Amino acid sequence: MSAMEIVAPALVDVFVARYYHVTFMVLVAVGLYILIDSKNLVKKVIGLNIFQMSVFLFFITAAYQDGAGPALIEEGGGPYANPLPHVLILTAIVVGVSLTSLALALVVRVYEEYGTVHEDRVEEVMADE
Amino acid sequence: MTFALEIALVVFVVVSAVAVAFLRDVLGAIVVFASFTLGLAMIWVILQAPDVALTEAAVGAGVMSVLFLLTVARTTRTEGDEGYLRPVNFKALAIVFVLFVILLATVPALPEVGDPNAPAVQETVDGAQTPYGVADDNRTPYGYYIEQTPIDAGIRNAVAAVLVVYRGLDTFGEAVVVFSAIVGVLVVLRREEAR
Amino acid sequence: MRDRENTGGEEREKKPYAESPIIMTSVRVVSPFVLTYGIFVTLHGANSPGGGFQGGVIMASVFVMLGFAFGIRPTSDWADYRAVLGLATGGVVLFAAVGLVALPLGGDVLQLDVLPIAVKWGVELLEVAIGMIVAGVVTGLFFVLSRGGRKEGEEA
């Protein structure tokens, strides 16, 4: 039996036991792909949001433990999920929507100014002027 | 049973994100993005974060998609020329794949999902650090919040206690950031009435 | 140079707003309950999941629903978005006031146990302030993003 045959199943188990972490990494990759690939500015903002929400997944996963309930403290209760990451993500979601709308306002202004939200065509129009 | 549901939700979320990446129609991408955030909100419920789930469901699927729709209504809908899907951009895919592999290399160092020995869910750790030095009773911030919330604040929801009692100044800062966002949007968009 | 192939958005904008009786009726029935639920969530953050951020967003979604059913223009005229912005500003002022009132009472900024009321009610007060900020800001963002920057008289 080669070393590969021993290591590979163990490694698969490592990743399967951390499925939310792997999901977080996949979503980071997808968000970054949208940011690089998309030429439409609105879609870039969507990609930014997917990137951001994948980080939320990482935080909430870190706060969780098996058999935990939500952080509503009761006499003799427990275990609980860690409330601190929940607070951070709670505020991050609301700040995220505010910043998203600021980005969208800038996109609307770009459209009013240049007549397009396509990245390359904005540059063409700027070169023409 | 729960594990099967979790896997289904994870697959749903990932497929939605990939669909957003390849849909050419921005309107369609927005709708798929709304379902993506709804899937995430369900994952928050499974991970015992009901406060986050409430916000995510209302913000992500509700308000955020409406803001995107308004933007699309004021700009353009399609991206590129024709067809439903965008072609695969192999250069971008290569960059993203490198990042993904680098991130994946950190996975074995992370605690398993739900591991009760994970550092974030320990009530006491030898030599636990606080901003004022080593804690006397070795309590971590987690242990402190869990034990002290009913005593310090007289309430049960530790999330609200951390938000307002223990980290009130942070929350004030966040609220001001949210408030300054609308000031920024007004500055960017309301030039007509300023003239 | 304007984008010729992407005029779809402008054509859609010129169409008059179509009223849908199904959406209008259901929004009329549902919106008071959603507003009540938002207030409930804001005020019950202490002992159950909820609080200012969640309740504020739910309250703001009432205005989004009304905007969808009856048109954004009439809704924002009815809600008078100066009042909406006043709500957000009032929330920030309330939060700062609760934070600063602890100073003359001998505490630090935002120290709630020196207030003459129980800490629980201090928490509720700050949750209400957060709810006001979030509800005002999200509603305001919705109105401003839908019509801000347009010339007067232009249809939304």
Side-chain angles (χ1 to χ4, degrees):
Chain A
M1 198 186 263
S2 72
M4 197 60 205
E5 280 168 49
I6 302 166
V7 172
L11 206 58
V12 168
D13 284 347
V14 163
F15 288 111
V16 167
R18 293 162 179 80
Y19 50 103
Y20 281 129
H21 299 109
V22 176
T23 313
F24 148 68
M25 286 154 192
V26 172
L27 291 179
V28 164
V30 174
L32 189 69
Y33 178 85
I34 298 174
L35 270 175
I36 298 173
D37 172 53
S38 264
K39 299 293 178 195
N40 185 305
L41 294 176
V42 178
K43 238 176 120 191
K44 272 185 196 287
V45 179
I46 298 179
L48 206 61
N49 267 295
I50 289 180
F51 199 117
Q52 186 190 23
M53 284 176 183
S54 67
V55 180
F56 298 169
L57 180 62
F58 185 64
F59 268 69
I60 302 291
T61 309
Y64 178 71
Q65 60 176 317
D66 278 332
L72 298 168
I73 313 301
E74 270 171 82
E75 200 72 35
Y80 304 105
N82 190 339
L84 184 57
H86 294 184
V87 173
L88 298 177
I89 298 315
L90 189 62
T91 51
I93 290 175
V94 180
V95 170
V97 72
S98 311
L99 298 185
T100 301
S101 56
L102 188 58
L104 291 176
L106 290 170
V107 171
V108 169
R109 281 292 290 134
V110 165
Y111 183 76
E112 286 175 356
E113 206 65 34
Y114 299 110
T116 176
V117 288
H118 192 285
E119 194 184 30
D120 295 343
R121 279 181 226 140
V122 171
E123 279 175 15
E124 279 170 29
V125 177
M126 283 169 85
D128 285 354
E129 279 170 359
Chain B
M1 177 57 208
T2 318
F3 186 72
L5 183 64
E6 282 176 89
I7 293 302
L9 281 172
V10 162
V11 170
F12 174 74
V13 162
V14 170
V15 169
S16 310
V18 173
V20 170
F22 289 102
L23 274 177
R24 193 185 293 279
D25 185 0
V26 180
L27 190 62
I30 291 166
V31 174
V32 176
F33 175 71
S35 70
F36 165 83
T37 52
L38 211 56
L40 272 184
M42 286 187 243
I43 291 181
W44 304 155
V45 175
I46 290 174
L47 290 176
Q48 304 298 332
D51 292 274
V52 185
L54 259 176
T55 319
E56 179 84 58
V59 165
V63 174
M64 193 114 80
S65 29
V66 168
L67 295 179
F68 278 120
L69 288 177
L70 287 175
T71 312
V72 169
R74 291 188 62 172
T75 59
T76 57
R77 177 175 166 178
T78 52
E79 179 187 17
D81 303 316
E82 55 202 19
Y84 276 121
L85 299 177
R86 293 175 57 75
V88 178
N89 180 342
F90 287 102
K91 275 184 202 161
L93 204 62
I95 297 169
V96 162
F97 186 73
V98 170
L99 175 82
F100 179 61
V101 170
I102 293 171
L103 283 175
L104 219 54
T106 67
V107 165
L110 293 167
E112 287 179 15
V113 174
D115 184 1
N117 297 316
V121 290
Q122 297 309 305
E123 291 190 28
T124 56
V125 169
D126 284 337
Q129 293 285 329
T130 73
Y132 310 103
V134 177
D136 304 331
D137 46 6
N138 290 332
R139 268 195 300 187
T140 60
Y142 168 69
Y144 186 87
Y145 295 145
I146 293 297
E147 280 171 36
Q148 292 290 336
T149 291
I151 300 162
D152 288 348
I155 62 177
R156 283 179 53 216
N157 188 356
V159 174
V162 175
L163 188 76
V164 174
V165 180
Y166 298 119
R167 288 173 181 268
L169 202 57
D170 288 7
T171 308
F172 184 54
E174 304 266 11
V176 172
V177 169
V178 171
F179 183 71
S180 52
I182 192 162
V183 176
V185 172
L186 281 171
V187 167
V188 171
L189 285 182
R190 276 191 66 190
R191 69 202 186 289
E192 302 292 339
E193 287 174 41
R195 271 180 203 155
Chain C
M1 189 187 96
R2 294 272 145 172
D3 224 355
R4 282 296 153 219
E5 62 175 79
N6 282 335
T7 47
E10 281 162 32
E11 275 166 29
R12 276 204 313 279
E13 275 176 35
K14 279 172 198 155
K15 267 190 236 161
Y17 170 72
E19 291 182 342
S20 156
I22 297 172
I23 294 178
M24 284 172 79
T25 312
S26 48
V27 165
R28 217 175 249 138
V29 173
V30 166
S31 55
F33 291 102
V34 177
L35 186 63
T36 314
Y37 181 60
I39 295 169
F40 175 89
V41 169
T42 308
L43 294 178
H44 285 72
N47 291 322
S48 60
F53 283 103
Q54 300 91 321
V57 175
I58 295 171
M59 283 190 270
S61 66
V62 173
F63 289 93
V64 176
M65 273 165 46
L66 290 174
F68 262 108
F70 303 103
I72 296 166
R73 190 68 191 237
T75 312
S76 64
D77 286 343
W78 171 73
D80 182 15
Y81 69 120
R82 280 169 208 285
V84 172
L85 293 181
L87 187 71
T89 317
V92 175
V93 170
L94 178 61
F95 205 128
V98 173
L100 291 177
V101 87
L103 287 179
L105 294 172
D108 293 331
V109 173
L110 281 167
Q111 189 176 344
L112 295 177
D113 50 11
V114 296
L115 299 181
I117 48 176
V119 177
K120 180 180 191 294
W121 298 110
V123 172
E124 296 286 11
L125 200 58
L126 289 182
E127 296 275 21
V128 169
I130 296 168
M132 284 165 69
I133 297 168
V134 174
V137 166
V138 174
T139 313
L141 287 175
F142 173 62
F143 290 156
V144 176
L145 208 56
S146 63
R147 61 178 277 199
R150 289 221 172 101
K151 293 187 184 86
E152 286 303 313
E154 215 175 324
E155 266 307 305

